[in-house]
Amino acid sequence: MASYTDKAGRPIVVVTGMGLVTSLGQGKEDNWAKLTAGQSGIHRITRFPLDSMRTTIAGTVDFLSESGRTAPDLSEQLAQLAADEAIDQSGIGSKGNFPGPLFCAVPPIEIEWPQRRILAQEAAANAAVTYDDLLRAAETHQHGAWHERFLYGSIADHLADRFGTRGQPISLSTACASGNTSIQLGVEAIRRGDCDAALSIATDGSVTAEALIRFSLLSALSTNNEKPEAASRPFSKNRDGFIIAEGAGALVLESLEHAVARGAKILGVVEGVGEMADSFHRTRSSPDAKPVIGCMRAALADAGVSPDEIDYINAHGTSTPENDRMEFTGMSAVFGERIGSIPLSSNKSMIGHTLTAAGAIEAVVSLLTIQNGRIPPTINYETPDPAIPLDVVPNVARDAQVNRVMSNSFGFGGQNVCVIMTGEPA
Amino acid sequence: MSDRRDVWITGIGLVSSLGEGLEAHWAALNEGKPVVDETGFAPYVVHPLAKINFDSQIAKKGDQRQMEPWQRIGTYAAGLALDSAGIKGNKDILGTTDMVVAAGGGERDQSVDGAILTEIEKQPKPDVFLNEQLQSNLRPTLFLAQLSNLLAGNISIVHGVTGSSRTFMGEESSGTDAVRIGFSRIAAGTSEIALVGGAYNAERRDMLLLYALKHLAKHAPWSPVLKSANGVPTGSAGAFLVLESPEHATARGARPIAKLSGIWSERARRGDEGAVEATLATMIATARGDTAEGTAILSAASGAPEPTKAEALVLERSGLPVRSVTDRVGHGLEAQMPVALAIAALSVAQGRLFPPLAGETLEKPFDEALKRVIVTGVGHWRGEGVALVESVD
């Protein structure tokens, strides 16, 4: 009988259900087929007019009923679909009765332009419109539903109602590392014995015109607009920024003991999670990569494994000049000379950067990689960057036995979280 | 659980309309006069931040310029907390300090928004006009001053807290859960020291708008929330606590201000009649345990009518002495539970409860020695939080 605890004596945390939605499609099957075929989900934006925009491409999810509505509306639907799939696969609890807490990473939320415009029109100001006019319109009209919609907590609250998770859900953000943090919080809660199961979701349906403009003003986005599917070029010499995108990932986490007791199929083990904050700059990483190195080492230590035991890296790989160089520097320090020969790929080459959702989506893809013995490629790798020599599994998927994955996520605000996963409980 | 460790509060940073720091707050709480602005944001009432010299905690003007007021308030309060715990500038400790921040979002550029709204409906292509205006007029760095997790990011940059950094959103509950997760990790032995808290800037019309949509923003004149419960009187405030294991604190010669003995977060089904009352009563009973001796309740009630009436009813039934935090400093949304915890720790450290406020009829004089404070906070829309702070004997 295998042990239910890990080397450190903590409950082993396993994954028993996974779900995802990206610009490539809905569900694991569809996404996996397209990811391993090297297909891109990046396309010309149709959601809003593009006149005068420097970037005109994105990985928006345009095939859902809430696509093009508010960011929280679409984010909630994405999260719900991913979680539906994960819970279905897991078979845990019963319908509307999930036996554990919800940790939900959500994008920035605020009242949006359509609502502001309605309020301004209702206010019918004679002179220049100010927020006092909007306040007056809000007081004299019935827009109570917008209050709820634009609270940070409302996405997770609605999901908690739908899935019947326990207690007050935690809505969180660690920017582009949020997906990994949602997993980390679940892992910690199970290890502490607070619960036997947890639902970790990360979602982002926030590609509005203003969001695109904000990232564009920070010069973070690619302007390779001509051929959208070829714009995201992680680790290539001619990479020029990330592609903003939408999606959601969901994982059902459980203690191994709980999963075994109910006869659940185990999809993978979350062996370790590490984090370290960076105090260097609001948007840039420390050039010496120390926090990223510390974060990866913390994850390895938490998992109780050595760098030699990692045989695939699901890179953060955003396709920005700075991230990919810094990530290489960090990985080189952690893995030494071996870094050149460890297969590594960036899912973002195909689905773009799903921001808040990225970590959870990439965790799902990482476990699918282990399950299928097949590594999704880094597409658009035509011009290698000689400064960062890596085996990025260029352009074509590769069959390989993968036992243990490291998945990195880094974000604005000095956020770094690294997750280590394996297929079978030891 | 018996194998859980105690969690000490070894540092507190607090700024609000009553001033900055524990001494100023203790004096103002005893004086019993809330500071309110009933005209600047008419028709609403807000508790404005006391005059703060931000330079003393955020030395670089460049850093200050990169922040919106809510981030400055929070970064300042975090600095006070680190000072109070005696770990300011201690790179070894700050490099292992775990941070959990409760945050909302930052202020919009209201003049840019106003200018766009003034012209947009006259345009042949409103959406194109909008995009052009945003591209020309939004400050690039404003985005960073708005992102929820950039309060934590600024604390890392300004104060060097880098052990870990997590940001919770979700209004009042995020404040409860930020403290709860920091607490749980220390209690379980997976963290030794944590900086937890939040900040809120009430002096902004875009935030008032969110409440106003549901007709929940409190109109002037000011009135006590537990008695009247006719709207949320928002208040600018920032509060951070340094939580620490007794082993870690003792090893570096630090003394506890108080003990955080427990913190609980729940989600009543608000659609069900009596659900808030039942949930809160159960939570208070858990926190209270077997004794009411030397025990008082500090309420972080928002002032939103239904949940606050429910909270007031349960507080009255508890029979314990009650004080409203919101009456004194206003409601700081995500920051409200950390603010209430800071005042709770201050009160048990002083060993007595500050006097009742005129007009808040639920508040009765209490002259016994104060040993324990139960903090309650029912979210204006969702989420119930309760915590227990005790004196360290």
Side-chain angles (χ1 to χ4, degrees):
Chain A
M1 179 70 234
S3 171
Y4 290 134
T5 53
D6 65 13
K7 292 171 197 165
R10 308 167 300 192
I12 293 172
V13 179
V14 299
V15 178
T16 57
M18 311 190 283
L20 84 170
V21 188
T22 74
S23 55
L24 287 172
Q26 186 187 327
K28 292 188 291 286
E29 205 173 319
D30 196 17
N31 271 284
W32 182 247
K34 290 172 176 167
L35 285 167
T36 48
Q39 198 174 322
S40 169
I42 310 305
H43 49 259
R44 187 85 49 220
I45 294 167
T46 56
R47 191 174 290 174
F48 42 81
L50 299 171
D51 313 51
S52 77
M53 295 287 218
R54 274 157 63 195
T55 291
T56 61
I57 56 175
T60 50
V61 173
D62 296 330
F63 50 80
L64 298 179
S65 60
E66 302 298 314
S67 299
R69 289 174 56 85
T70 70
D73 282 323
L74 178 55
S75 300
E76 183 173 319
Q77 188 178 27
L78 289 163
Q80 182 199 305
L81 291 169
D84 269 334
E85 184 185 13
I87 293 172
D88 247 17
Q89 179 179 28
S90 163
I92 195 169
S94 54
K95 193 168 167 53
N97 182 18
F98 184 94
L102 168 62
F103 300 100
C104 189
V106 297
I109 292 165
E110 60 181 357
I111 296 166
E112 298 182 5
W113 281 102
Q115 292 74 35
R116 273 183 218 116
R117 286 176 61 184
I118 289 170
L119 290 169
Q121 287 175 284
E122 286 171 350
N126 294 321
V129 179
T130 68
Y131 268 79
D132 283 325
D133 297 305
L134 306 187
L135 283 162
R136 192 160 36 81
E139 289 286 352
T140 50
H141 292 75
Q142 299 302 323
H143 295 302
W146 292 350
H147 164 264
E148 177 169 331
R149 180 67 293 176
F150 296 110
L151 290 172
Y152 274 97
S154 75
I155 293 175
D157 185 77
H158 297 167
L159 296 169
D161 267 341
R162 179 182 177 90
F163 298 113
T165 51
R166 302 291 159 82
Q168 173 69 21
I170 288 183
S171 302
L172 67 106
S173 174
T174 53
C176 300
S178 299
N180 278 358
T181 302
S182 72
I183 295 167
Q184 179 180 34
L185 286 163
V187 168
E188 288 179 353
I190 293 168
R191 284 178 177 171
R192 276 198 302 267
D194 291 357
C195 54
D196 295 318
L199 179 58
S200 294
I201 308 177
T203 184
D204 204 318
S206 70
V207 182
T208 59
E210 185 169 326
L212 186 81
I213 289 166
R214 288 173 170 192
F215 279 112
S216 187
L217 288 171
L218 289 174
S219 305
L221 300 179
S222 170
T223 54
N224 280 322
N225 295 315
E226 303 73 32
K227 211 174 159 201
E229 64 277 14
S232 187
R233 302 164 183 169
F235 305 108
S236 289
K237 193 163 192 298
N238 56 356
R239 65 189 187 276
D240 76 329
F242 73 79
I243 312 293
I244 194 170
E246 296 177 327
L251 298 96
V252 173
L253 304 175
E254 257 180 287
S255 70
L256 175 62
E257 185 170 6
H258 189 265
V260 167
R262 67 181 189 86
K265 182 175 162 51
I266 288 155
L267 308 173
V269 181
V270 186
E271 286 187 314
V273 191
E275 64 186 318
M276 185 174 286
D278 190 337
S279 62
F280 180 69
H281 188 268
R282 287 165 188 80
T283 58
R284 287 158 52 210
S285 301
S286 188
D288 60 12
K290 263 191 191 157
V292 166
I293 295 165
C295 148
M296 289 190 245
R297 287 188 174 145
L300 290 164
D302 191 49
V305 299
S306 74
D308 290 344
E309 294 172 272
I310 300 292
D311 38 30
Y312 165 67
I313 300 168
N314 188 313
H316 188 51
T318 58
S319 182
T320 63
E322 183 166 319
N323 173 80
D324 297 1
R325 186 177 55 240
M326 181 277 301
E327 192 170 5
F328 170 79
T329 306
M331 291 185 299
S332 299
V334 173
F335 293 97
E337 282 182 10
R338 196 174 152 248
I339 190 60
S341 57
I342 305 172
L344 158 162
S345 61
S346 169
N347 305 151
K348 294 184 181 76
S349 63
M350 294 174 276
I351 59 174
H353 190 352
T354 55
L355 306 170
T356 306
I361 289 173
E362 288 160 20
V364 171
V365 175
S366 295
L367 288 173
L368 290 172
T369 301
I370 293 174
Q371 218 172 61
N372 291 285
R374 194 164 167 77
I375 302 176
T378 304
I379 66 165
N380 301 317
Y381 193 74
E382 306 296 342
T383 317
D385 183 344
I388 48 176
L390 290 165
D391 173 9
V392 301
V393 190
N395 305 317
V396 182
R398 182 188 302 167
D399 288 323
Q401 190 186 334
V402 174
N403 296 313
R404 183 173 285 111
V405 178
M406 169 183 278
S407 179
N408 287 328
S409 288
F410 314 129
F412 283 176
Q415 311 276 184
N416 306 294
V417 190
C418 174
V419 178
I420 292 175
M421 290 164 287
T422 183
E424 301 282 332
Chain B
M1 269 184 253
S2 56
D3 59 342
R4 299 281 143 135
R5 303 193 293 182
D6 279 354
V7 177
W8 285 357
I9 298 169
T10 56
I12 299 175
L14 179 62
V15 292
S16 75
S17 50
L18 297 183
E20 69 168 88
L22 297 182
E23 270 180 44
H25 276 87
W26 189 243
L29 289 166
N30 281 288
E31 201 174 316
K33 279 212 177 63
V35 178
V36 294
D37 178 354
E38 297 184 331
T39 55
F41 295 84
Y44 308 106
V45 52
V46 304
H47 296 251
L49 190 71
K51 191 154 174 54
I52 300 289
N53 174 20
F54 286 103
D55 296 355
S56 66
Q57 289 293 344
I58 311 170
K60 291 184 191 162
K61 288 284 185 197
D63 280 333
Q64 291 186 32
R65 275 197 299 274
Q66 294 275 324
M67 302 182 206
E68 283 288 318
W70 71 285
Q71 292 171 333
R72 282 198 286 270
I73 296 168
T75 305
Y76 189 88
L80 291 181
L82 299 175
D83 267 340
S84 156
I87 58 170
K88 186 75 160 298
N90 184 328
K91 282 188 180 166
D92 289 342
I93 291 179
L94 295 173
T96 61
T97 299
D98 294 306
M99 177 164 46
V100 195
V101 174
E107 190 158 0
R108 293 190 60 83
D109 188 327
Q110 297 181 35
S111 64
V112 170
D113 286 358
I116 291 172
L117 290 170
T118 302
E119 298 298 328
I120 191 166
E121 306 305 337
K122 305 168 194 162
Q123 305 300 318
K125 291 182 179 172
D127 290 336
V128 174
F129 172 79
L130 173 64
N131 296 350
E132 286 168 355
Q133 292 295 309
L134 290 172
Q135 284 180 94
S136 331
N137 297 321
L138 279 185
R139 277 184 293 121
T141 54
L142 180 65
F143 187 18
L144 302 173
Q146 293 175 313
L147 285 176
S148 303
N149 73 304
L150 260 291
L151 169 51
N154 278 300
I155 293 171
S156 292
I157 289 169
V158 173
H159 301 305
V161 178
T162 56
S164 65
S165 165
R166 304 172 186 177
T167 296
F168 294 170
M169 297 99 83
E171 291 69 45
E172 291 93 335
S173 288
S174 66
T176 306
D177 285 322
V179 179
R180 183 172 64 89
I181 294 298
F183 167 86
S184 300
R185 295 188 62 200
I186 293 172
T190 60
S191 169
E192 293 301 326
I193 182 165
L195 177 69
V196 298
Y200 186 74
N201 173 22
E203 296 151 80
R204 43 185 283 207
R205 288 175 175 78
D206 55 352
M207 266 317 297
L208 286 166
L209 180 58
L210 188 61
Y211 284 112
L213 288 169
K214 188 97 175 163
H215 306 161
L216 288 175
K218 165 98 175 117
H219 288 229
W222 177 89
S223 57
V225 294
L226 296 174
K227 173 133 194 303
S228 326
N230 57 7
V232 180
T234 59
S236 296
F240 277 84
L241 308 176
V242 174
L243 305 180
E244 197 166 355
S245 71
E247 294 89 327
H248 192 271
T250 306
R252 66 181 186 87
R255 292 286 310 143
I257 298 166
K259 186 168 89 167
L260 180 59
S261 301
I263 179 159
W264 301 269
S265 180
E266 262 302 342
R267 176 174 173 270
R269 300 273 177 155
R270 296 233 178 152
D272 300 348
E273 182 75 25
V276 172
E277 289 91 330
T279 300
L280 187 63
T282 304
M283 294 169 86
I284 291 175
T286 303
R288 173 182 176 152
D290 300 332
T291 175
E293 194 202 331
T295 307
I297 292 183
L298 282 191
S299 162
S302 67
E306 286 181 33
T308 301
K309 280 174 192 152
E311 183 169 340
L313 190 69
V314 176
L315 298 186
E316 189 170 12
R317 283 183 192 153
S318 77
L320 293 169
V322 171
R323 297 290 181 270
S324 160
V325 170
T326 308
D327 284 348
R328 276 117 181 136
V329 296
H331 186 62
L333 202 59
E334 292 89 0
Q336 194 66 354
M337 178 57 88
V339 167
L341 283 168
I343 294 176
L346 170 61
S347 303
V348 298
Q350 294 286 342
R352 64 183 185 85
L353 193 59
F354 46 86
L357 205 61
E360 188 64 284
T361 47
L362 208 55
E363 297 190 356
K364 304 283 193 300
F366 180 75
D367 299 321
E368 284 175 39
L370 184 71
K371 292 190 164 156
R372 313 161 79 220
V373 171
I374 297 168
V375 177
T376 62
V378 174
H380 79 279
W381 173 71
R382 230 19 131 245
E384 296 76 35
V386 166
L388 176 63
V389 177
E390 297 183 290
S391 62
V392 182
D393 296 323

